[in-house]
């Protein structure tokens, strides 16, 4: 796994957008972790807790973004 800086941006307007950037060139995959797995739950949790999500790639790696709608009562 390549090392390097990890970036975080939170952008709020009508929705909250959270962006996490890292130097990895690979596509994140959605999978269900087994009870004995040490990791692998992040993408699954993000899919359950966000309104929209995606990723984009750039020469320095990738940016994973999520969009969170405001809570409705």
């Amino acid at each position: 796994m390549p090392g390097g800086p990890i970036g975080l941006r939170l952008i709020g307007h009508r929705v909250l957008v959270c962006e996490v950037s890292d130097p990895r060139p690979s596509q994140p995959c959605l999978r269900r972790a087994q009870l004995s797995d040490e990791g692998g739950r992040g993408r699954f949790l993000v899919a359950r807790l966000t309104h929209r999500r995606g990723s984009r790639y750039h020469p320095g790696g990738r940016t994973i973004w999520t969009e969170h709608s405001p809570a409705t009562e």
Side-chain angles (χ1 to χ4, degrees):
M1 165 171 46
I6 295 173
L8 171 67
R9 267 185 5 153
L10 298 173
I11 306 159
H13 185 56
R14 293 190 177 155
V15 297
L16 174 64
V17 176
C18 175
E19 295 183 344
V20 177
S21 300
D22 66 32
R24 294 182 185 180
S26 61
Q27 171 73 21
C29 60
L30 180 64
R31 69 178 183 90
R32 285 186 183 260
Q34 300 298 316
L35 290 175
S36 60
D37 287 346
E38 295 272 333
R41 293 169 181 82
R43 188 77 173 151
F44 182 76
L45 289 171
V46 166
R48 293 290 187 156
L49 298 173
T50 60
H51 176 67
R52 293 181 346 145
R53 65 206 162 276
S55 56
R56 62 182 180 273
Y57 299 90
H58 46 83
R62 66 182 179 184
T63 299
I64 309 300
W65 60 269
T66 60
E67 188 176 283
H68 306 263
S69 295
T72 56
E73 297 184 34

